[in-house]
Amino acid sequence: MATSMCKLCSSKLSTLQTYLRRQVRLNARVSIALYSSGPTPEEEEVLLKPQKAVVESEDIIEKLRNVSRLRGNLYKRQHNLQPEIRTAYQRELRYKRRNYAKFGNESGFDPRKCWPTRSELREEIRLENEWEPTLENMMKNIERRKQADESKMAKRVETITKNMEKMEGWMKEYHQREQKRTEEVKERELKKKKLLDDAMAYFGYKVDPRDEKFKEMLEEKAKEEKRLAKQKKKETQTAKLMARIQAEAQRKDS
């Protein structure tokens, strides 16, 4: 494919070269006629036509030479040519400075504007002080970070020492929590077993805890326990009231 394209371009190029030679000869003949006898308006028109054809032919040759098929500024960038100003970014000062650094006076840019402004110089000085400190400042920063690291390590050691002193008490509390959690689990298991036994005694057969009958039995049992608790509370209050009355009667008798 590449070989066929090269052959096609070579044949077109040779054809255009032959055409250009003929146009040059024609221009020479017209020039001789022009200076020998004085041109007429018709002859001038004839004279200008070949020149335009030569220019158009050169443009065609340049297009054929562009095997990359790049257009506009992409082609100029590839061949280190000055690009056309098309976008707002290309109108910025930094782009024009860079363009002048690459193409020089051909860019048409005033080189005096390449020097930074006062605000730009202040910004450069600020950035230099921030990112490129002097050796003295660097040594101070290193010493400051070293002291901060030492202080941080000292606090860490102090915290670890205090925690180690509290370790025994924490372990004791942990074991107590674990023992309490184990007892709660056992208590829940015993309560569940007792409920299953009560359900079996109530229904006369083994009941699945997910069964609706089992849930109804639990509701009834909860109501019964609530009633008994309320009754026990009432009896306790009654007993306290009777004790208070007896104590008051004994105090009056005495």
Side-chain angles (χ1 to χ4, degrees), residues 146-156:
K146 184 179 178 181
Q147 292 178 359
D149 292 341
E150 291 177 353
S151 176
K152 185 177 179 180
M153 180 58 68
K155 290 181 180 179
R156 181 176 176 81

Side-chain angles (χ1 to χ4, degrees), residues 73-96:
N73 286 341
L74 291 177
Y75 178 83
K76 292 181 178 181
R77 185 188 302 173
Q78 185 68 22
H79 293 82
N80 293 324
L81 299 175
Q82 185 176 350
E84 298 178 5
I85 305 300
R86 295 181 178 177
T87 62
Y89 169 71
Q90 291 176 322
R91 297 184 182 91
E92 293 182 0
L93 184 60
R94 55 179 179 176
Y95 179 84
K96 293 180 179 179

Side-chain angles (χ1 to χ4, degrees), residues 8-17 19-20 23 50-67 69 75:
L8 179 61
C9 292
S10 300
S11 62
K12 289 184 178 181
L13 184 60
S14 61
T15 304
L16 289 172
Q17 288 175 350
Y19 176 75
L20 288 175
Q23 294 296 331
Q51 292 178 354
K52 185 177 180 181
V54 171
V55 174
E56 291 178 354
S57 301
E58 290 178 355
D59 293 340
I60 294 173
I61 291 174
E62 288 297 328
K63 290 181 180 179
L64 290 174
R65 287 175 178 171
N66 184 15
V67 294
R69 297 294 186 267
Y75 178 83

Side-chain angles (χ1 to χ4, degrees), residues 90-177:
Q90 291 176 322
R91 297 184 182 91
E92 293 182 0
L93 184 60
R94 55 179 179 176
Y95 179 84
K96 293 180 179 179
R97 287 172 176 173
R98 190 178 67 179
N99 210 27
Y100 179 82
K102 189 173 183 179
F103 299 105
N105 293 329
E106 294 181 2
S107 63
F109 182 68
D110 188 359
R112 292 175 297 179
K113 295 181 181 179
C114 293
W115 187 258
T117 61
R118 292 180 181 274
S119 60
E120 291 175 344
L121 283 174
R122 286 194 293 268
E123 182 65 16
E124 287 292 331
I125 293 172
R126 186 188 68 80
L127 293 174
E128 183 177 353
N129 293 333
E130 182 177 356
W131 298 104
E132 298 180 6
T134 60
L135 179 61
E136 183 179 0
N137 291 335
M138 291 175 65
M139 295 298 294
K140 288 181 180 178
N141 291 335
I142 292 173
E143 185 65 24
R144 192 182 300 112
R145 285 197 296 268
K146 184 179 178 181
Q147 292 178 359
D149 292 341
E150 291 177 353
S151 176
K152 185 177 179 180
M153 180 58 68
K155 290 181 180 179
R156 181 176 176 81
V157 171
E158 183 180 359
T159 303
I160 292 173
T161 303
K162 290 181 179 179
N163 291 339
M164 291 300 295
E165 293 175 354
K166 299 177 183 178
M167 180 65 71
E168 185 177 356
W170 288 347
M171 291 298 295
K172 186 177 180 180
E173 292 177 0
Y174 170 76
H175 290 303
Q176 289 177 353
R177 289 196 301 270

